[in-house]
Amino acid sequence: MSTLPPLLVFAGSTRAQSHNRRLAQVAADLARAAGAPVTHLELADFDLPMYNADLEARGTPAAAVRLKEIFYAHPAWVICSPEYNGSYTGLLKNTIDWVSSPVKGDPAWGDGLKPFAGKVVGLLSASPGGLGGVRSLSHLSPLLLNLQCWLTPRQFALARAGEAFDASGQLAEPARQGVKGVVDQALWAAQRLAP
């Protein structure tokens, strides 16, 4: 039986050939190989409208509540963030906005920070460009810190991602070790911060 904490892995993209979805698969595989229980989430499976307080006043979407439950259940996360215009995606921001929004009158989800506070988050990015999407991580980090997440000191940005994966979706070294370093830190820290 694993003593490692459950790890949540997801990408801020739903594009079929997304480099970040491939990167998330590599991260999930590495965590499973280390013995961690892994939930590899696809945001395409959750039907979330664009966040709007008027819409929310009519009722929080069931998909948002399900995501709150999943986020809360995992003490460690790895997020793979694409870079759009030097920042993270609207999809990722919309997901975070819904998951962090309190559900009025709900004893379980009345606190918007509950799904986030104390989570250990490792950040990865992938991009066809030479910087690997690292600017998206510089914007995502303060957002997650504001939600009271712990961030791993190690982050990894995969440059020239279009050439980085082989036909089976695997990464060559040293990129694979870069991903593994983030996964290992997230699991290590979550284990030690567990109540």
Side-chain angles (χ1 to χ4, degrees):
M1 185 166 182
S2 173
T3 59
L4 291 173
L7 179 70
L8 176 64
V9 180
F10 63 97
S13 175
T14 57
R15 191 171 62 87
Q17 298 302 316
S18 164
H19 301 309
N20 284 278
R21 287 181 62 226
R22 289 181 182 177
L23 195 60
Q25 184 62 60
V26 170
D29 290 346
L30 287 167
R32 285 189 188 104
V38 176
T39 299
H40 182 181
L41 198 69
E42 290 285 358
L43 292 182
D45 295 336
F46 296 84
D47 185 20
L48 283 179
M50 288 301 294
Y51 178 79
N52 174 311
D54 293 337
L55 181 62
E56 181 186 39
R58 297 196 293 268
T60 300
V65 175
R66 181 67 188 124
L67 282 166
K68 287 174 183 287
E69 294 167 349
I70 294 168
F71 280 33
Y72 181 71
H74 294 79
W77 307 348
V78 170
I79 302 175
C80 301
S81 177
E83 182 179 287
Y84 288 8
N85 296 313
S87 191
Y88 48 83
T89 62
L91 170 70
L92 188 52
K93 181 64 162 65
N94 190 55
T95 300
I96 290 170
D97 287 347
W98 273 116
V99 175
S100 64
S101 183
V103 182
K104 288 181 182 155
D106 187 314
W109 304 115
D111 179 1
L113 290 176
K114 181 178 174 180
F116 294 89
K119 304 304 177 180
V120 175
V121 185
L123 296 179
L124 303 172
S125 63
S127 166
L131 296 178
V134 71
R135 291 176 299 177
S136 74
L137 303 185
S138 71
H139 288 195
L140 187 54
S141 294
L143 172 65
L144 292 168
L145 289 170
N146 187 62
L147 292 167
Q148 300 182 14
C149 296
W150 297 88
L151 301 186
T152 62
R154 181 174 288 191
Q155 299 179 354
F156 179 71
L158 179 66
R160 296 178 183 82
E163 308 153 21
F165 298 92
D166 66 20
S168 65
Q170 294 303 308
L171 277 178
E173 302 296 355
R176 188 174 174 83
Q177 284 305 309
V179 175
K180 186 176 185 304
V182 174
V183 169
D184 288 350
Q185 276 194 349
L187 293 171
W188 181 89
Q191 203 171 22
R192 281 149 184 83
L193 289 170

